């Protein structure tokens, strides 16, 4: 790695923070968070140490899927602000060294999008082929629907034209026909448009669904991945260091295809859903095994590509890639009540309530996520340990207003509580108990812990750029992993169980070759021989840097 690469391929060592403008901070007092509010909190995010902001959809939308149903790819929803406010956010973020990526919806639009309004008039509409139609009764597709609580089929008969249109998600989200070159052109223009406004990349929504649609409908080039390559090449031409971060919840081997195989010419980043799900299984079992399996099964990444690691996102905490038995184990440990589960495959909960609010376990989980190779991605409120609102419908349970203070509405808005876009969490995780203001100057708070972790993580290019080795140990509850880069390594040890342990850790060199520093306590460690006896409290964790040169020479 050359130091210049770290800025050219900034996503390999970034810290991402995802938020929904609508629930972050309401500056104009109408009960809905807005871009003006977000601009006021960029300094909070900068101080936290994040380097990339991911904004959930900001486009005009009837808001029937929280903005993932778009009526204009080129607009800003008026409830959130306008281009002026957006550009202020982007400029302020850039000034503080934070890049901004936005959701890119390419799989579908809202049924109120002018394209679909026109398309459903019938085969003569110029936009008819922007969507996927069939004129005969579709087969039973109940197993393919994404939201089984709301839909029974991925085809819905359009009363107006009498034909069926495809929609993998809600019926009000018709799938775009990405096999149509006119649609691809439109998407490229959309990408170009937002790049021109200063946006640094895109979180690409629901990627496998549109690739599958291209397979079904037949793309002129015959290769469904061609669209991703086209998007990536266009992106690179318009802005060399822009990034595509894809939502591809597939087994690792298939994910490799979405990086573009060895060529690495499709998505530069993808969320690692497999490692996320196996982390929860490992935590539920107090056994590092499932996590080791995931990490060792990760395919090698093509140059310039990176995983995004996460413990929580804005959707259900999906456990769909576990076996039925494994899923039931995680449900039993972290969400036993039916009201905590959703779609039969996921949890509606946030991390601290799942871990009974035990600060040791919460910190262990974040230490783990931040120490794994990949780019850590936080969902707003995780840094202060927010909880969920189980009374909210489905995935909305974790999309409650950010809790800034213990004041009215948690400092999110001055509007009357009943006017808020989402109710503030009411129970023991509400603003009285969990808020940013109270934690900001408390050195023992979760916020201070996460801040310190981010700062250490940012000083460890080994984790973003290095090669991973899972170091064998005799303790099933302990994960030891090491990332090597040039003459330096970071070695992290995590104890997933409540019992204290002492683990001998093989250093892989001779004694006098090593200078070792404990990155979290800042102490210098002296090994005796080739092994280090590491004592860990229950749910304890340690990060060590092993240098073969001087301690101060960071790679
Ligand atoms: C993605 C989003 C989810 C949304 C869906 C349809 O899975 O993460 O929130 O509902 O796509 O756009």
């Amino acid at each position: 790695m050359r130091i210049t690469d770290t800025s050219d391929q900034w996503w390999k060592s970034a810290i991402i923070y995802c938020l929904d403008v609508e629930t972050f901070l309401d500056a104009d007092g109408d009960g809905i968070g807005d871009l003006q509010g977000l601009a006021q909190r960029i300094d909070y995010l900068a101080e936290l140490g994040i380097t990339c902001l991911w904004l959930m959809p900001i486009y005009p939308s009837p808001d029937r899927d929280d903005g993932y149903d778009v009526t204009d790819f080129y607009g800003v929803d008026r409830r959130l602000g306008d281009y002026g406010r957006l550009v202020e956010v982007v400029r302020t973020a850039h000034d503080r060294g934070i890049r901004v990526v936005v959701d890119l919806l390419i799989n579908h639009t809202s049924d109120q999008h002018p394209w679909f309004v026109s398309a459903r008039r019938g085969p003569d509409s110029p936009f008819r082929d922007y969507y996927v139609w069939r004129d005969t009764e579709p087969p039973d597709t109940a197993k393919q629907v994404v939201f089984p609580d709301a839909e029974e089929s991925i085809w819905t008969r359009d009363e107006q034209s009498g034909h069926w249109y495809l929609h993998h998600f809600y019926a009000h989200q018709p799938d775009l026909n990405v096999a149509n070159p006119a649609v691809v052109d439109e998407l490229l223009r959309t990408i170009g448009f937002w790049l021109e406004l200063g946006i640094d990349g895109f979180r690409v929504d629901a990627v496998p669904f549109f690739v599958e649609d291209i397979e079904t409908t037949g793309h002129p080039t015959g290769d469904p991945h061609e669209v991703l390559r086209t998007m990536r090449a266009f992106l690179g031409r318009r802005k060399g260091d822009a990034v595509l971060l894809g939502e591809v919840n597939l087994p690792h081997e298939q994910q490799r295809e979405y990086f573009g195989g060895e060529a690495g010419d499709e998505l530069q980043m993808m969320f690692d859903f497999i490692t996320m799900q196996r982390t929860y299984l490992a935590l539920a079992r107090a056994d590092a095994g499932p996590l080791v399996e995931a990490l060792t099964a990760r395919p090698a990444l093509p140059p310039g590509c990176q995983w995004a690691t996460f413990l929580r996102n804005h959707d259900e905490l999906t456990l769909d890639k576990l076996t039925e038995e494994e899923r039931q184990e995680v449900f039993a440990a972290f969400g036993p009540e039916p009201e905590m589960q959703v779609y039969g495959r996921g949890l509606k909960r946030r991390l601290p309530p799942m871990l009974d609010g035990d600060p040791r376990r919460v910190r262990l989980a974040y230490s783990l996520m931040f120490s794994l190779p990949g780019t850590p991605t936080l969902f707003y409120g995780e840094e202060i340990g927010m909880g969920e609102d189980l009374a909210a419908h489905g995935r909305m349970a974790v999309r409650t207003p950010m809790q800034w203070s213990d004041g009215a509405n948690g400092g999110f808005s001055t509007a009357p509580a009943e006017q808020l876009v989402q109710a503030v969490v009411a129970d023991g995780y509400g603003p009285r108990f969990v808020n940013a203001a109270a934690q900001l100057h408390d050195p023992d708070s979760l916020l201070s812990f996460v801040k310190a972790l981010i700062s250490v993580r940012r000083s460890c290019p080994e984790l973003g750029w290095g090669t991973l080795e899972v170091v064998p140990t005799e303790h099933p509850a302990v994960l030891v992993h090491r990332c090597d880069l040039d003459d330096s390594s970071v070695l992290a040890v995590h104890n997933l169980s409540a019992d204290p342990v002492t683990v001998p850790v093989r250093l892989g060199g001779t004694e006098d070759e090593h200078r070792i520093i404990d990155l979290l306590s800042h102490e210098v460690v002296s090994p005796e021989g080739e092994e280090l006896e590491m004592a860990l409290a229950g749910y304890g964790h340690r990060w060590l840097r092993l240098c073969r040169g001087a301690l101060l020479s960071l790679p």
Side-chain angles (χ1 to χ4, degrees):
M1 180 202 74
R2 291 188 312 261
I3 201 69
T4 43
D5 293 336
T6 55
S7 56
D8 289 347
Q9 297 176 21
W10 55 269
W11 54 86
K12 284 179 75 100
S13 39
I15 312 284
I16 302 178
Y17 187 96
C18 167
L19 64 85
D20 192 351
V21 174
E22 169 177 280
T23 49
F24 204 57
L25 181 67
D26 169 21
D28 63 9
D30 65 354
I32 305 170
D34 42 47
L35 290 161
Q36 208 181 332
L38 172 56
Q40 291 171 22
R41 288 295 185 261
I42 297 289
D43 281 323
Y44 165 84
L45 297 173
E47 206 193 318
L48 178 59
I50 63 129
T51 61
C52 176
L53 192 55
W54 153 25
L55 303 182
M56 284 166 64
I58 51 172
Y59 314 108
S61 163
D63 220 17
R64 294 179 67 194
D65 182 16
D66 210 17
Y68 282 89
D69 46 330
V70 177
T71 51
D72 178 5
F73 287 151
Y74 302 101
V76 171
D77 195 295
R78 271 211 237 131
R79 299 172 323 137
L80 308 181
D82 53 25
Y83 293 126
R85 296 291 184 191
L86 177 69
V87 169
E88 286 302 303
V89 164
V90 175
R91 189 211 121 72
T92 312
H94 285 171
D95 181 62
R96 312 298 199 264
I98 297 174
R99 289 182 166 91
V100 183
V101 306
V102 292
D103 251 286
L104 180 72
L105 283 293
I106 119 161
N107 182 68
H108 50 262
T109 65
S110 156
D111 61 355
Q112 294 174 40
H113 193 293
W115 298 339
F116 192 70
V117 172
S118 166
R120 72 193 327 179
R121 289 200 194 110
D124 292 338
S125 156
F127 294 101
R128 184 71 173 180
D129 287 340
Y130 271 42
Y131 298 89
V132 186
W133 298 91
R134 60 181 293 149
D135 45 19
T136 53
E137 180 99 37
D140 179 5
T141 54
K143 287 216 171 72
Q144 285 169 262
V145 303
V146 177
F147 302 126
D149 59 333
E151 306 296 342
E152 289 172 355
S153 168
I154 60 171
W155 295 96
T156 288
R157 185 163 183 277
D158 174 43
E159 295 306 325
Q160 225 173 314
S161 68
H163 296 154
W164 286 263
Y165 64 88
L166 182 67
H167 59 85
H168 274 98
F169 296 90
Y170 293 112
H172 62 76
Q173 290 167 316
D175 279 18
L176 281 165
N177 177 11
V178 188
N180 177 352
V183 170
V184 176
D185 277 353
E186 199 75 57
L187 291 170
L188 298 184
R189 266 195 297 283
T190 305
I191 290 175
F193 176 81
W194 292 102
L195 291 178
E196 212 60 35
L197 276 187
I199 295 299
D200 299 287
F202 302 89
R203 179 264 184 190
V204 193
D205 189 60
V207 182
F209 294 94
F210 71 76
V211 169
E212 200 182 287
D213 287 359
I214 301 171
E215 263 163 33
T216 322
T217 45
H219 191 255
T221 64
D223 181 354
H225 281 264
E226 187 60 32
V227 170
L228 286 174
R229 283 194 287 273
T230 305
M231 278 169 59
R232 170 69 186 284
F234 177 85
L235 182 90
R237 287 197 300 276
R238 290 289 171 94
K239 192 172 194 173
D241 67 349
V243 73
L244 293 177
L245 161 60
E247 183 200 24
V248 181
N249 178 9
L250 288 177
H252 278 145
E253 266 319 306
Q254 275 167 276
Q255 280 190 295
R256 194 175 145 73
E257 293 166 29
Y258 287 80
F259 283 120
E262 258 167 52
D265 55 358
E266 296 184 28
L267 302 167
Q268 293 109 311
M269 292 189 84
M270 260 176 262
F271 294 104
D272 188 347
F273 280 90
I274 303 297
T275 300
M276 181 280 285
Q277 301 188 33
R278 299 202 76 75
T279 300
Y280 281 98
L281 185 61
L283 291 172
R285 288 183 181 168
D287 175 5
L291 189 48
V292 172
E293 282 161 30
L295 292 173
T296 47
R298 272 177 169 183
L301 290 180
C305 292
Q306 182 63 297
W307 299 106
T309 50
F310 66 108
L311 289 171
R312 226 304 147 218
N313 68 8
H314 61 292
D315 286 324
E316 77 278 11
L317 194 164
T318 185
L319 302 167
D320 68 337
K321 297 291 182 289
L322 300 181
T323 64
E324 185 54 34
E325 254 174 39
E326 291 169 340
R327 188 164 33 252
Q328 291 309 328
E329 273 184 79
V330 179
F331 279 162
F334 299 137
E337 305 302 329
E339 86 230 28
M340 299 170 174
Q341 302 167 9
V342 66
Y343 314 131
R345 64 171 183 252
L347 288 163
K348 287 172 68 172
R349 311 193 75 191
R350 280 188 180 252
L351 187 74
M354 289 197 291
L355 301 180
D356 302 325
D358 183 340
R360 296 171 310 162
R361 297 177 78 188
V362 173
R363 288 168 197 220
L364 168 81
Y366 286 113
S367 167
L368 200 51
M369 182 195 28
F370 276 84
S371 71
L372 294 180
T375 293
T377 306
L378 283 170
F379 182 52
Y380 77 93
E382 282 195 273
E383 73 278 19
I384 55 169
M386 272 170 57
E388 71 279 347
D389 174 10
L390 288 178
H393 181 68
R395 297 169 294 158
M396 300 309 284
V398 297
R399 302 182 189 179
T400 58
M402 176 67 183
Q403 297 170 190
W404 293 108
S405 71
D406 62 0
N409 301 324
F412 159 68
S413 169
T414 53
E418 57 285 0
Q419 211 179 299
L420 300 190
V421 63
Q422 268 274 114
V424 174
V425 169
D427 63 15
Y429 286 89
R432 254 187 69 208
F433 307 97
V434 177
N435 70 72
Q439 295 189 27
L440 212 48
H441 303 290
D442 172 1
D444 296 323
S445 67
L446 180 63
L447 180 58
S448 298
F449 173 80
V450 173
K451 235 190 246 185
L453 209 52
I454 291 178
S455 156
V456 173
R457 165 77 201 209
R458 286 182 61 178
S459 73
C460 294
E462 297 94 333
L463 300 177
W465 287 80
T467 338
L468 169 73
E469 190 197 329
V470 176
V471 182
T473 79
E474 63 217 38
H475 288 273
V478 177
L479 176 74
V480 184
H481 70 279
R482 212 181 68 206
C483 294
D484 302 322
L485 181 71
D486 302 330
D487 264 353
S488 180
S489 307
V490 169
L491 182 136
V493 188
H494 289 88
N495 176 11
L496 272 52
S497 81
D499 304 321
V501 288
T502 301
V503 223
V505 176
R506 180 175 53 79
L507 295 173
T510 58
E511 184 192 343
D512 42 282
E513 265 184 322
H514 287 109
R515 310 273 178 285
I516 301 181
I517 187 141
D518 185 318
L519 290 167
L520 303 180
S521 72
H522 304 291
E523 280 159 22
V524 174
V525 179
S526 307
E528 286 171 20
E530 287 186 31
E531 276 191 349
L532 189 63
E533 286 288 315
M534 298 210 25
L536 292 163
Y539 304 118
H541 54 271
R542 289 178 75 183
W543 296 28
L544 302 181
R545 168 170 281 129
L546 277 53
C547 270
R548 275 167 282 280
L551 269 182
L552 271 177
S553 71
L554 289 178

